[in-house]
Amino acid sequence: MNIIFLDFDGVLDTASYDMYLVRHGLPECDENGRPVFDPKCIDNLKQIIDTTNADIVVTSDWKYIDSYENLLEMWLYRDMPGFMTDLTPNISKHRGDEIARWLIECKINCNYVIIDDLGPENFNEEQLDRLVTINPNYGLDKDAAIKAISIINRNIQKKE
């Protein structure tokens, strides 16, 4: 099973797209008060999913405010790519620990990539070679998508 551990803020919700929305007098949030995602970042996420058939596990701080059901409803309503399969558990403010716990509790052999705008200090040592760090001004760009695909494909080949 391929998994994308996905952050939202800085990855899909970008500073540059927020500025674009403001300049054009468009709403920065949807009717539920959640930030609007950058369409370019969504396209790049779709490329990763289409290439790797990965499911999404949310690591974003949004999980502290919204339930899985509410986030899944938003995902479906926005016609986002892929399937949001789960959220990491709320056990720590350290993303690496939450990802590690999710992997233990999953009980399925998972191949994964982490896509986040947080730096390496927020993840565990054994996760760093699976981390794609995103510039929060521009979000998930084509180069980051290619790197994420490469990480998933590299780890598939290691298992064979």
Side-chain angles (χ1 to χ4, degrees), residues 11 39-48 115 132 134 138-150:
V11 175
K40 291 177 190 171
C41 299
I42 296 168
D43 288 346
N44 291 322
L45 177 63
K46 183 177 182 335
Q47 178 189 359
I48 298 167
I115 303 176
V132 178
I134 303 299
Y138 305 105
L140 180 57
D141 62 16
K142 288 204 178 297
D143 289 340
I146 290 167
K147 183 175 180 184
I149 292 166
S150 172

